[in-house]
Amino acid sequence: MASPLQFAYRTQKAIGVTDAAPVYEPLPGFVKPEGNLRCCVYSPCGRYFAWASSDQVCVVDASVGYVLTTIAISNVYEIAFSPRGSFLSTWERPAKDEAGDATKNFKIWRTIEDLPEGTEKAPVGKFVQKSQTGWNLQYTSDEKFCARLVTNEVQFYDSNDLSTVWNKLRVEGVTDFAVAPGQSRNIAVFIPERKGQPSTVKIYNVPEFTNPISQKTFFKGDKVQLKWNSLGTSLIVLAQTDVDKSNKSYYGETTLYLLSANGSLDARITLDKDGPIHDVAWSPNGKEFGVIYGYMPAKTTIFNHRAVAAHSFPIAPRNTIIFSPTGRFALVAGFGNLAGQIDVYDLEKDYRKICTIESGNPSVCQWSPDSRFIMTATTSPRLRVDNGVKIWHVGGGIMYHEDMVELYNVTWRPVLPENLSRVDPLHPVPTPHSSAIAYLGTVKTPSKPVGAYRPPGARGMTTPLHFRREDEGGAAHVMTNGTQNVGPNGFGRPRRQVPGAEFLESGARSVPGAAPAEVPGANGDENLSKAALKNKKKRNNKKAKDGDIKDGERNVAAGGLAPPVQDQGPGSNNEGRSPERRGQYYNQQRHNRSRSRHNFPGGNNPGRSRSNTHRNGQAAPPPPQIQTSQPPAPDSLISPGNQNPASKKLRSLQKKIRAIEDLEMRHAGGEKLEDTQMKKIATKASVVKELETLEKEAH
């Protein structure tokens, strides 16, 4: 009989190890440590389990729970194993010695070593590591070499000799790197945008660092996630910016690229739905990967290793995809601010959906090593209530449940593929633990399906199209970014629209007399880097300054105190006015000038002139003669600024027709209308006839 599955957990006061299916009992030989416990972790090979307290680090045999070795070291906050469990890394909080120098807080130890009795265990290597993010070494799969990032270079060490640097990869500005798994010994490095240059991802083969074997340059990449497949032959680059220059997302923009280690492929992955990329994950077989993308409800697509879409799942509010260790199943879930639903698909059976699990609000979701079970857990500090562990069968039934107080961490014990039992994960269905049966007895079944609030007049009716999500038959979400506010199904009315006036395409507010505001992204600035935008702004400011100086010189040469001449032809910003309004505008200007001290010909104030033209002995040009007594053009009857009674009547009828059409749309969408609203719809024919008669009289 194969050894049972196992998981470990850490709570506020203790660390425990539990044998899972089929026994669901604590590991007999493991003594639960208590006190101030900061972290615990399994080795990737599954042989060892280690935990850290305030004064020591303890390593135990994961199979039986016996203590193998103890390291006397204090203030350890992070521990990690090498791929084969030969080395143990510890990270302490940064501190300074008596001389004021930083202490070497990052130490590497041999997990198991034969020492003479009474000899204290000593670290293999020590480094200064201030940042807790990316603190550990990255090993090759055979543990022969390891690497760490320092300023402008990646340093390589022989794993058995960490005192001297074995080799260096010098890359100016490198901020992140990832060593490939498998036997390829490849390494990917990331260089962000710098001095107007695009971001770059380069792949090298260790130790040939002269030229990269593959690379990709791109903009919009302040930080990236580098995801190798299990074979080390392909790399996914998930690039993200801190700021979305198109103002469509608060969290920045995300783009996805795929590179092959041999240089045969480096392309951007095209996604057919607008919105952010929520998650991307490789299948353990290394030949396909899944992406969740787009505005909610999001779309989930499986791609092959050449970035060709193989299958798309139904759109739904999901943001997490996890492949099972065997690669047969994939779960697509919605966690965080979503409802916590988990959809399980069988990728080998035409992507058939197996079940949907209502998991509540978990913060941890993991497959068991044999792909038969899914573990979900609600942990602190994200949620300090309802903490506990649930284990579900891949078919959807709950197998185990345990409530805990302030659960901080929970994880499965890794099992090597060659040690797994070859059974069908779906059949037979195991017997649930008694805790699962008790849990099902406490779950209350809602008497009515929970949904959105409906006013009394709308209850018992179908939801109109413009209130439905995309996965419920509604239209796709469109980020308007300040454009007209029309509903996704054609409902609603644009805002800030004056009847009879031209529609403002940009959607931006404009102040009369002010320069038109630039729309973000209208001049292609969204494709520029931060440095390029800064340089462009400097050039524009310099041009504007030089233009102001030249304009000032021309004004001084011509007597520069004269006000600018008011253009009254085309291009004077008055051609959009009706004839009557233009007449009112010029009459007002002439009235204001007549009250000034300027001595215009025929004026009533023959005082001293203060204009430069009279000062230089030249006569001021007479104002243009505008005829305002001519009858208005027929088109002026429909001008929004006209106060003609016929124009008012016309606008009133147009407003009634718009209201009737809006009611018709609501009625067609399934909304129940009042009797008065139905009567109003019935008057449409008479209103249209009256409107046509009035328009004929106007023309």
PDB file of all heavy atoms in Angstrom, residues 578-591:
ATOM      1  N   SER A 578     -25.344  80.834 -34.908  1.00  0.00           N
ATOM      2  CA  SER A 578     -26.427  81.173 -35.822  1.00  0.00           C
ATOM      3  C   SER A 578     -26.294  82.633 -36.232  1.00  0.00           C
ATOM      4  O   SER A 578     -25.660  83.440 -35.542  1.00  0.00           O
ATOM      5  CB  SER A 578     -27.771  80.945 -35.131  1.00  0.00           C
ATOM      6  OG  SER A 578     -27.892  81.795 -34.010  1.00  0.00           O
ATOM      7  N   PRO A 579     -26.905  83.080 -37.358  1.00  0.00           N
ATOM      8  CA  PRO A 579     -26.792  84.477 -37.800  1.00  0.00           C
ATOM      9  C   PRO A 579     -27.271  85.451 -36.738  1.00  0.00           C
ATOM     10  O   PRO A 579     -26.682  86.505 -36.540  1.00  0.00           O
ATOM     11  CB  PRO A 579     -27.658  84.515 -39.066  1.00  0.00           C
ATOM     12  CG  PRO A 579     -27.666  83.114 -39.551  1.00  0.00           C
ATOM     13  CD  PRO A 579     -27.614  82.258 -38.344  1.00  0.00           C
ATOM     14  N   GLU A 580     -28.346  85.069 -36.034  1.00  0.00           N
ATOM     15  CA  GLU A 580     -28.863  85.999 -35.032  1.00  0.00           C
ATOM     16  C   GLU A 580     -27.889  86.170 -33.888  1.00  0.00           C
ATOM     17  O   GLU A 580     -27.677  87.270 -33.392  1.00  0.00           O
ATOM     18  CB  GLU A 580     -30.202  85.466 -34.519  1.00  0.00           C
ATOM     19  CG  GLU A 580     -30.870  86.419 -33.534  1.00  0.00           C
ATOM     20  CD  GLU A 580     -32.251  85.906 -33.128  1.00  0.00           C
ATOM     21  OE1 GLU A 580     -32.786  85.076 -33.856  1.00  0.00           O
ATOM     22  OE2 GLU A 580     -32.766  86.360 -32.106  1.00  0.00           O
ATOM     23  N   ARG A 581     -27.252  85.033 -33.478  1.00  0.00           N
ATOM     24  CA  ARG A 581     -26.290  85.142 -32.379  1.00  0.00           C
ATOM     25  C   ARG A 581     -25.051  85.918 -32.793  1.00  0.00           C
ATOM     26  O   ARG A 581     -24.464  86.628 -32.003  1.00  0.00           O
ATOM     27  CB  ARG A 581     -25.889  83.748 -31.904  1.00  0.00           C
ATOM     28  CG  ARG A 581     -26.961  83.095 -31.063  1.00  0.00           C
ATOM     29  CD  ARG A 581     -26.340  82.291 -29.975  1.00  0.00           C
ATOM     30  NE  ARG A 581     -27.319  81.944 -28.958  1.00  0.00           N
ATOM     31  CZ  ARG A 581     -27.016  81.347 -27.815  1.00  0.00           C
ATOM     32  NH1 ARG A 581     -25.778  81.060 -27.556  1.00  0.00           N
ATOM     33  NH2 ARG A 581     -27.939  81.049 -26.930  1.00  0.00           N
ATOM     34  N   ARG A 582     -24.640  85.741 -34.056  1.00  0.00           N
ATOM     35  CA  ARG A 582     -23.490  86.528 -34.504  1.00  0.00           C
ATOM     36  C   ARG A 582     -23.818  88.007 -34.474  1.00  0.00           C
ATOM     37  O   ARG A 582     -23.001  88.840 -34.098  1.00  0.00           O
ATOM     38  CB  ARG A 582     -23.075  86.077 -35.911  1.00  0.00           C
ATOM     39  CG  ARG A 582     -22.386  84.719 -35.956  1.00  0.00           C
ATOM     40  CD  ARG A 582     -21.590  84.557 -37.228  1.00  0.00           C
ATOM     41  NE  ARG A 582     -22.451  84.530 -38.394  1.00  0.00           N
ATOM     42  CZ  ARG A 582     -22.910  83.400 -38.934  1.00  0.00           C
ATOM     43  NH1 ARG A 582     -22.607  82.246 -38.385  1.00  0.00           N
ATOM     44  NH2 ARG A 582     -23.684  83.432 -39.989  1.00  0.00           N
ATOM     45  N   GLY A 583     -25.049  88.342 -34.865  1.00  0.00           N
ATOM     46  CA  GLY A 583     -25.444  89.747 -34.818  1.00  0.00           C
ATOM     47  C   GLY A 583     -25.467  90.271 -33.410  1.00  0.00           C
ATOM     48  O   GLY A 583     -25.024  91.382 -33.126  1.00  0.00           O
ATOM     49  N   GLN A 584     -25.989  89.483 -32.458  1.00  0.00           N
ATOM     50  CA  GLN A 584     -26.001  89.912 -31.073  1.00  0.00           C
ATOM     51  C   GLN A 584     -24.584  90.108 -30.555  1.00  0.00           C
ATOM     52  O   GLN A 584     -24.306  91.038 -29.800  1.00  0.00           O
ATOM     53  CB  GLN A 584     -26.733  88.871 -30.232  1.00  0.00           C
ATOM     54  CG  GLN A 584     -28.223  88.764 -30.532  1.00  0.00           C
ATOM     55  CD  GLN A 584     -28.861  87.626 -29.760  1.00  0.00           C
ATOM     56  OE1 GLN A 584     -28.193  86.935 -29.018  1.00  0.00           O
ATOM     57  NE2 GLN A 584     -30.175  87.472 -29.950  1.00  0.00           N
ATOM     58  N   TYR A 585     -23.663  89.200 -30.963  1.00  0.00           N
ATOM     59  CA  TYR A 585     -22.280  89.288 -30.492  1.00  0.00           C
ATOM     60  C   TYR A 585     -21.628  90.578 -30.959  1.00  0.00           C
ATOM     61  O   TYR A 585     -21.013  91.320 -30.180  1.00  0.00           O
ATOM     62  CB  TYR A 585     -21.497  88.079 -30.999  1.00  0.00           C
ATOM     63  CG  TYR A 585     -20.023  88.121 -30.692  1.00  0.00           C
ATOM     64  CD1 TYR A 585     -19.548  87.762 -29.438  1.00  0.00           C
ATOM     65  CD2 TYR A 585     -19.107  88.529 -31.668  1.00  0.00           C
ATOM     66  CE1 TYR A 585     -18.202  87.819 -29.159  1.00  0.00           C
ATOM     67  CE2 TYR A 585     -17.780  88.579 -31.391  1.00  0.00           C
ATOM     68  CZ  TYR A 585     -17.324  88.223 -30.140  1.00  0.00           C
ATOM     69  OH  TYR A 585     -15.996  88.268 -29.857  1.00  0.00           O
ATOM     70  N   TYR A 586     -21.756  90.911 -32.248  1.00  0.00           N
ATOM     71  CA  TYR A 586     -21.125  92.120 -32.769  1.00  0.00           C
ATOM     72  C   TYR A 586     -21.804  93.376 -32.257  1.00  0.00           C
ATOM     73  O   TYR A 586     -21.162  94.400 -32.028  1.00  0.00           O
ATOM     74  CB  TYR A 586     -21.118  92.094 -34.301  1.00  0.00           C
ATOM     75  CG  TYR A 586     -20.159  91.083 -34.858  1.00  0.00           C
ATOM     76  CD1 TYR A 586     -20.586  90.036 -35.661  1.00  0.00           C
ATOM     77  CD2 TYR A 586     -18.797  91.157 -34.542  1.00  0.00           C
ATOM     78  CE1 TYR A 586     -19.705  89.094 -36.147  1.00  0.00           C
ATOM     79  CE2 TYR A 586     -17.913  90.216 -35.033  1.00  0.00           C
ATOM     80  CZ  TYR A 586     -18.366  89.197 -35.829  1.00  0.00           C
ATOM     81  OH  TYR A 586     -17.487  88.264 -36.308  1.00  0.00           O
ATOM     82  N   ASN A 587     -23.125  93.353 -32.073  1.00  0.00           N
ATOM     83  CA  ASN A 587     -23.795  94.511 -31.490  1.00  0.00           C
ATOM     84  C   ASN A 587     -23.274  94.783 -30.096  1.00  0.00           C
ATOM     85  O   ASN A 587     -23.063  95.932 -29.697  1.00  0.00           O
ATOM     86  CB  ASN A 587     -25.308  94.270 -31.451  1.00  0.00           C
ATOM     87  CG  ASN A 587     -25.923  94.346 -32.846  1.00  0.00           C
ATOM     88  OD1 ASN A 587     -25.345  94.962 -33.737  1.00  0.00           O
ATOM     89  ND2 ASN A 587     -27.086  93.729 -33.026  1.00  0.00           N
ATOM     90  N   GLN A 588     -23.062  93.709 -29.306  1.00  0.00           N
ATOM     91  CA  GLN A 588     -22.528  93.888 -27.962  1.00  0.00           C
ATOM     92  C   GLN A 588     -21.116  94.457 -28.009  1.00  0.00           C
ATOM     93  O   GLN A 588     -20.761  95.323 -27.213  1.00  0.00           O
ATOM     94  CB  GLN A 588     -22.530  92.539 -27.225  1.00  0.00           C
ATOM     95  CG  GLN A 588     -22.004  92.615 -25.783  1.00  0.00           C
ATOM     96  CD  GLN A 588     -22.922  93.420 -24.894  1.00  0.00           C
ATOM     97  OE1 GLN A 588     -24.117  93.508 -25.159  1.00  0.00           O
ATOM     98  NE2 GLN A 588     -22.370  94.042 -23.875  1.00  0.00           N
ATOM     99  N   GLN A 589     -20.287  93.976 -28.953  1.00  0.00           N
ATOM    100  CA  GLN A 589     -18.931  94.497 -29.082  1.00  0.00           C
ATOM    101  C   GLN A 589     -18.947  95.977 -29.467  1.00  0.00           C
ATOM    102  O   GLN A 589     -18.182  96.787 -28.932  1.00  0.00           O
ATOM    103  CB  GLN A 589     -18.151  93.688 -30.127  1.00  0.00           C
ATOM    104  CG  GLN A 589     -17.911  92.235 -29.722  1.00  0.00           C
ATOM    105  CD  GLN A 589     -17.042  92.155 -28.493  1.00  0.00           C
ATOM    106  OE1 GLN A 589     -16.110  92.923 -28.339  1.00  0.00           O
ATOM    107  NE2 GLN A 589     -17.388  91.246 -27.592  1.00  0.00           N
ATOM    108  N   ARG A 590     -19.831  96.334 -30.386  1.00  0.00           N
ATOM    109  CA  ARG A 590     -19.905  97.738 -30.806  1.00  0.00           C
ATOM    110  C   ARG A 590     -20.394  98.602 -29.654  1.00  0.00           C
ATOM    111  O   ARG A 590     -19.928  99.720 -29.457  1.00  0.00           O
ATOM    112  CB  ARG A 590     -20.847  97.853 -32.003  1.00  0.00           C
ATOM    113  CG  ARG A 590     -20.301  97.200 -33.272  1.00  0.00           C
ATOM    114  CD  ARG A 590     -21.298  97.246 -34.390  1.00  0.00           C
ATOM    115  NE  ARG A 590     -21.615  98.623 -34.760  1.00  0.00           N
ATOM    116  CZ  ARG A 590     -22.589  98.964 -35.607  1.00  0.00           C
ATOM    117  NH1 ARG A 590     -23.334  98.017 -36.146  1.00  0.00           N
ATOM    118  NH2 ARG A 590     -22.826 100.216 -35.897  1.00  0.00           N
ATOM    119  N   HIS A 591     -21.338  98.088 -28.848  1.00  0.00           N
ATOM    120  CA  HIS A 591     -21.827  98.850 -27.710  1.00  0.00           C
ATOM    121  C   HIS A 591     -20.718  99.069 -26.690  1.00  0.00           C
ATOM    122  O   HIS A 591     -20.581 100.157 -26.122  1.00  0.00           O
ATOM    123  CB  HIS A 591     -22.993  98.099 -27.078  1.00  0.00           C
ATOM    124  CG  HIS A 591     -23.550  98.794 -25.850  1.00  0.00           C
ATOM    125  ND1 HIS A 591     -24.188 100.007 -25.916  1.00  0.00           N
ATOM    126  CD2 HIS A 591     -23.525  98.423 -24.551  1.00  0.00           C
ATOM    127  CE1 HIS A 591     -24.556 100.371 -24.701  1.00  0.00           C
ATOM    128  NE2 HIS A 591     -24.163  99.415 -23.842  1.00  0.00           N
TER     129      HIS A 591
END
